[in-house]
Amino acid sequence: MSDGVTELIEAGGTAPQNGERRRGIDRVIMLLEALLRHRAPMRVGDIAKMIGAPRSTTYEIVNSLLEAEMLENVGTEGYVYFGRAMHLFGWAYSHHNAHYRRILETLDRMAAETGETVQLCGLRGNKYVVLDCRDSPGPFRISSDVGVEVSIPWTASGRLLVGHMGEEELKNFIPAGDYKLPDGRIIAPEEFFADVALARRQGFSETAALADRFTWCMAAPIHDGHGAINKTLCFVLPVDTPEARRGELLTLLRERARGLSLAGG
């Protein structure tokens, strides 16, 4: 396995210089990112096109990742996808990080207690992502795929996660096209900035019928050891959930998020 890892780091040349080695590592990262974004097995040729790398170099990287069990072959037509080593890396992270284990236990407990969809959310670059999710067991099920990148202005969590930024920072951070909702409606940037300021003041955020016209989203911040917000705890509800019920769930959400925070905000 160690030889395979060495090969994938040095893929693209037999005696790479520092710059070449850096490009090789970059291509490994790009390849894994491409599979993550595609969310399904891909042929090596298609991966090469997606990451803009020579087919021969991509085959070298893929073969090394296969040897390291970071990828595995799927079917008999040349498709590859994440392998069992990737599962072990994720398992090691979740079991080593005691705080993350507490968060997952809280997700399980809240979903069981309320029967609602509960999510752990964060940022990845300048996009919002669901980091983990427990779906509602009821007939009306609302969920977002874990790891799929979504425009920040579409989300309640996004308004909390960028709360440390001023308007100029937000203008530079959020792509102009991200204010356009899936159904074509446009969120005015000034409206979003006001929402961010409100979320910062009140310590939670709620949105209705943005990314999905049928959902009401509420989010509460989880503060890290420095008081920063890099994760949120969220409920995703049917948009017609009665106000009294929403109030109960918001109280519970804020209480559990405070319990998970490592420092006050």
Side-chain angles (χ1 to χ4, degrees), residues 140 214 216 237-243 246:
F140 187 69
F214 300 100
W216 184 291
L237 312 171
V239 73
D240 58 356
T241 300
E243 184 177 356
R246 293 201 311 266

Side-chain angles (χ1 to χ4, degrees), residues 104-158:
L104 297 185
E105 290 166 0
T106 298
L107 290 179
D108 291 335
R109 188 163 59 252
M110 290 177 67
E113 289 174 2
T114 67
E116 305 290 355
T117 295
V118 192
Q119 297 178 339
L120 175 68
C121 306
L123 295 184
R124 197 159 190 264
N126 62 356
K127 303 294 182 184
Y128 154 96
V129 293
V130 176
L131 300 171
D132 214 320
C133 180
R134 300 294 180 271
D135 287 339
S136 165
F140 187 69
R141 191 169 294 185
I142 305 169
S143 65
S144 296
D145 290 333
V146 172
V148 173
E149 296 181 357
V150 175
S151 300
I152 291 171
W154 300 2
T155 67
S157 288

Side-chain angles (χ1 to χ4, degrees), residues 6 44 66 77 88 118 138 148-149 158 205 218 224 232:
T6 300
V44 178
L66 287 169
E77 298 182 6
L88 294 175
V118 192
V148 173
E149 296 181 357
S205 179
M218 56 179 66
D224 67 15
T232 60

Side-chain angles (χ1 to χ4, degrees), residues 14 54 58 67 90 93 96 100 102 104-105 108 132-134 140 142 156-157 187 214 227 234 242 252 262:
T14 55
T58 306
E67 182 180 339
Y93 173 79
H96 170 74
Y100 196 74
R102 283 182 55 218
L104 297 185
E105 290 166 0
D108 291 335
D132 214 320
C133 180
R134 300 294 180 271
F140 187 69
I142 305 169
S157 288
I187 299 173
F214 300 100
C234 319
L252 175 65
L262 300 176

Side-chain angles (χ1 to χ4, degrees), residues 122-211:
L123 295 184
R124 197 159 190 264
N126 62 356
K127 303 294 182 184
Y128 154 96
V129 293
V130 176
L131 300 171
D132 214 320
C133 180
R134 300 294 180 271
D135 287 339
S136 165
F140 187 69
R141 191 169 294 185
I142 305 169
S143 65
S144 296
D145 290 333
V146 172
V148 173
E149 296 181 357
V150 175
S151 300
I152 291 171
W154 300 2
T155 67
S157 288
R159 287 157 170 74
L160 289 167
L161 292 164
V162 298
H164 60 287
M165 297 184 182
E167 287 191 14
E168 284 304 314
E169 288 179 280
L170 289 170
K171 288 176 183 177
N172 294 326
F173 184 66
I174 297 178
D178 284 11
Y179 293 100
K180 184 175 182 179
L181 294 170
D183 62 5
R185 288 177 293 155
I186 304 292
I187 299 173
E190 293 74 19
E191 178 185 338
F192 175 71
F193 301 155
D195 286 349
V196 171
L198 176 62
R200 183 167 55 239
R201 291 194 304 272
Q202 65 187 11
F204 66 90
S205 179
E206 294 184 276
T207 58
L210 289 185

